[in-house]
Every structure is written in C-alpha cells, then in structure tokens.
C-alpha cells in the first residue's frame, strides 16, 4: 500500500456518495510520544492503528497530514463532512489522558481551521473510548473551551466491566458527554469487545443512544417538552396517553396491563392514594 493508494481509495469512496469520512491524523511526533507510555490498552482505534502501522512500516509521515490539501479538495468536490478521528482515545478507564491525546486534539483543531477555510465541514472525534465518569464532563468542557467545532464521542464507556451490556454503559457515558456539550454520539452495541453485532444488537445499541441523546438534549437545549407530556399523562393515570409519548410506544404498550393503576403497586398505587386523600 502506498500513499497514492490511500488517496485513491478516499477518492473512490467519496465518488460512491458517502456523506462523511473519517481520517486519522496521527503524526510522527504523536507516535514518538506514545512509544514510551505505559497504557494498559495501548492504541484501540482500528483506523488509527492501521494508519500508525503504515507510517512505522514505511518510516514516513502520515499521508493524510502531508497531503491534507488534496484530502480537502476531494471532500469539497463531493460536499463530504470530514471526521477527524480519535487515534489516541483510551481503551480502559485506567489509561488516563496523556500527551498524545492532548496533542491530537490540538492538531485536529488546527486541521479543522484549515478545512473550514477551504470550505469543508468538520467533526472532531475526541473524548471518546473508556473514561471514568467523573472525568467525562471535565474533558468535554475542556474541548468545548478550546474548539468551535462539533465534538464526536465514541461512547464513552465509563466502566470496563459491562461486557455484554456495553450499550447500557455507553448510554450512561454518552448521556454525561452529551449533557456536558458533546454534539454527536457514536453508538455502542451489546456485542462491543465481543464480536460483530447482529441486527438485533445494532437495534439495541441505537435505542440506548437515542435515549442518551435525548437526555443530553434536555440538559443542553431544554428539549424536555415530551418528558413533561408523559409526566402529565402519568399523573392522570392515563396509561394509553403515557405510552403515546414514550420513545418506543409499542414497547411501552406491550408491558402495559389493563387496570386504572398498573400492577407494580396495584391497590397501593401512590398516585391513586394521594388523589383520594389530598
Ligand atoms: S401502581 Fe405504582 S408504578 Fe403503577 S402507576 Fe401507580 S404509583 Fe406508578
């Protein structure tokens, strides 16, 4: 594989009418900074690892950086949104933010400036991977202070122990990141770390991250009118009305029983008791 092959593939894919493409702009300096580091998980980005291996094997700079103007002209021609990848993201919550991550964000912001000046829209991938929950809002806010460009987060996963349920762990991390200012969530499926997801796993992952996006939007933009509507219906014990405002009405309906109150508390329904006595 040569740098020409890489650029030719980028050109071919953009001609196939994709709308966005990820490139990893890891630099030689970043790889040097990475070498001596004691990360448990090393590098966990597939695109970043392939790009890094190409650079190390050929003892060269990153062709996406060296030929960035060419990349931009390809993207501009087809109105492609350029996503600047997160090679340096951490692969477990014990691998803390290091020089490589900080340098990647700084460099991606500089490349994003250049892209914007050349009429190409950009999303920057950062603050993704595995990050302990108390650090997620901090990292997102730091990015937002530094950068005017939309932030894409993969997950993040606030714990490493949820294998088989990583869509739930990712929903928790994605909600925190989104509420703190992240603009674009990359969903995670229950098969994460384990295998290729089947269609049902994909569906479960998307549901989890639609919920995360809604939680984040309520915090960022006050997009909570639907929450209010469902609460009003719930307070009125309007079971069918409540289900209508659920994110997945058919799912809510499938769990619903027929009584005025539900069978969770039955005759001890708090709403009914207080309606009677207040
Ligand atoms: S029975 Fe319990 S869970 Fe069901 S509506 Fe009443 S208070 Fe809510």
């Amino acid at each position: 594989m040569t740098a020409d092959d890489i650029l030719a593939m980028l050109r071919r894919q953009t001609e196939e009418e994709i709308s966005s493409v990820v490139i990893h702009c890891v630099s030689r300096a970043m790889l040097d900074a990475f070498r001596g580091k004691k990360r448990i998980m090393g590098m966990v980005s597939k695109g970043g690892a392939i790009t890094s291996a190409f650079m190390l094997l050929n003892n060269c700079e990153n062709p996406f950086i060296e030929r960035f103007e060419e990349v931009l002209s390809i993207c501009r021609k087809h109105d492609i949104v350029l996503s600047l990848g997160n090679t340096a993201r951490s692969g477990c919550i014990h691998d803390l933010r290091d020089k490589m991550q900080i340098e990647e964000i700084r460099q991606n912001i500089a490349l994003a400036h250049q892209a914007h000046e050349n009429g190409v829209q950009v999303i920057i991938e950062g603050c993704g991977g595995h990050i302990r929950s108390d650090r997620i809002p901090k990292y997102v806010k730091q990015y937002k202070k530094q950068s005017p460009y939309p932030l894409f987060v993969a997950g993040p996963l606030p714990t490493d122990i949820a294998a088989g349920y990583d869509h739930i762990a990712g929903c928790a991390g994605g909600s925190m990141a989104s509420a703190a200012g992240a603009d674009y969530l990359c969903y995670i499926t229950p098969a994460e770390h384990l295998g290729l997801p089947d269609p049902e796993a994909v569906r479960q992952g998307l549901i989890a991250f639609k919920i995360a996006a809604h939680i984040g939007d309520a915090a960022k933009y006050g997009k909570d009118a639907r929450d209010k509507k469902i609460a009003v219906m719930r307070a009125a014990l309007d079971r069918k009305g409540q289900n209508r405002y659920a994110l997945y009405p058919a799912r809510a309906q499938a769990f619903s029983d027929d009584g005025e109150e539900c069978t969770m508390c039955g005759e001890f329904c708090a709403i009914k008791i207080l309606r009677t006595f207040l």
Side-chain angles (χ1 to χ4, degrees):
M1 186 163 73
T2 64
D4 283 342
D5 293 331
I6 293 172
L7 270 289
M9 181 56 76
L10 177 66
R11 197 171 284 109
R12 192 179 112 188
Q13 291 185 347
T14 57
E15 281 163 5
E16 289 171 349
E17 300 190 3
I18 57 169
S19 57
S20 177
V21 67
V22 185
I23 61 168
H24 286 262
C25 292
V26 54
S27 65
R28 290 293 299 199
M30 280 159 60
L31 283 183
D32 289 343
F34 175 72
R35 269 178 197 274
K37 288 293 158 216
K38 289 197 181 80
R39 288 183 175 199
I40 297 173
M41 287 298 300
M43 190 184 284
V44 294
S45 157
K46 178 179 58 189
I50 293 170
T51 308
S52 302
F54 174 84
M55 291 159 64
L56 294 170
L57 184 67
N58 295 291
N59 196 24
C60 65
E61 241 314 341
N62 185 332
F64 292 123
I65 298 177
E66 281 196 322
R67 294 168 70 171
F68 193 60
E69 283 184 9
E70 213 175 318
V71 170
L72 292 180
S73 96
I74 295 168
C75 290
R76 192 175 48 242
K77 185 170 170 202
H78 299 281
D79 196 18
I80 303 282
V81 177
L82 195 55
S83 184
L84 299 175
N86 195 186
T87 296
R89 69 173 180 258
S90 48
C92 67
I93 63 168
H94 284 84
D95 285 346
L96 303 178
R97 173 157 286 202
D98 55 18
K99 266 191 194 160
M100 189 187 187
Q101 292 197 19
I102 292 165
E103 175 55 18
E104 182 175 54
I105 288 176
R106 190 206 62 74
Q107 181 177 272
N108 279 344
I109 294 169
L111 292 172
H113 284 319
Q114 198 182 331
H116 261 228
E117 278 164 11
N118 284 277
V120 175
Q121 298 182 78
V122 180
I123 303 175
I124 295 184
E125 297 184 23
C127 312
H130 297 228
I131 305 174
R132 212 175 64 188
S133 58
D134 55 315
R135 298 188 176 115
I136 293 172
K138 194 169 103 190
Y139 291 170
V140 170
K141 283 177 185 157
Q142 276 171 359
Y143 171 88
K144 282 286 168 182
K145 255 190 206 162
Q146 272 179 278
S147 169
Y149 303 107
L151 174 63
F152 172 127
V153 290
L157 285 168
T159 177
D160 300 331
I161 65 162
Y165 295 94
D166 270 334
H167 62 311
I168 295 174
C171 176
S175 301
M176 284 183 256
S178 175
D183 303 283
Y184 189 104
L185 300 178
C186 172
Y187 84 121
I188 287 172
T189 79
E192 186 75 14
H193 304 107
L194 306 172
L196 190 67
D198 62 14
E200 180 54 23
V202 167
R203 210 175 69 87
Q204 292 301 325
L206 286 170
I207 290 169
F209 276 73
K210 272 185 85 167
I211 295 169
H214 180 76
I215 292 170
D217 283 354
K220 280 188 298 195
Y221 311 119
K223 284 196 173 171
D224 49 10
R226 191 168 175 171
D227 294 77
K228 188 168 182 183
K229 281 181 177 148
I230 201 168
V232 169
M233 295 290 168
R234 207 166 263 163
L237 289 177
D238 181 344
R239 314 279 310 282
K240 286 204 162 59
Q242 159 187 287
N243 295 347
R244 264 205 315 279
Y245 289 105
L247 195 53
Y248 292 95
R251 169 91 169 165
Q253 193 55 45
F255 277 108
S256 286
D257 39 39
D258 293 332
E260 189 192 6
E261 71 279 359
C262 75
T263 45
M264 178 73 180
C265 324
E267 61 179 309
F268 302 111
C269 172
I271 297 167
K272 219 171 155 184
I273 290 171
L274 286 188
R275 186 192 285 172
T276 306
F277 292 98
L278 288 181

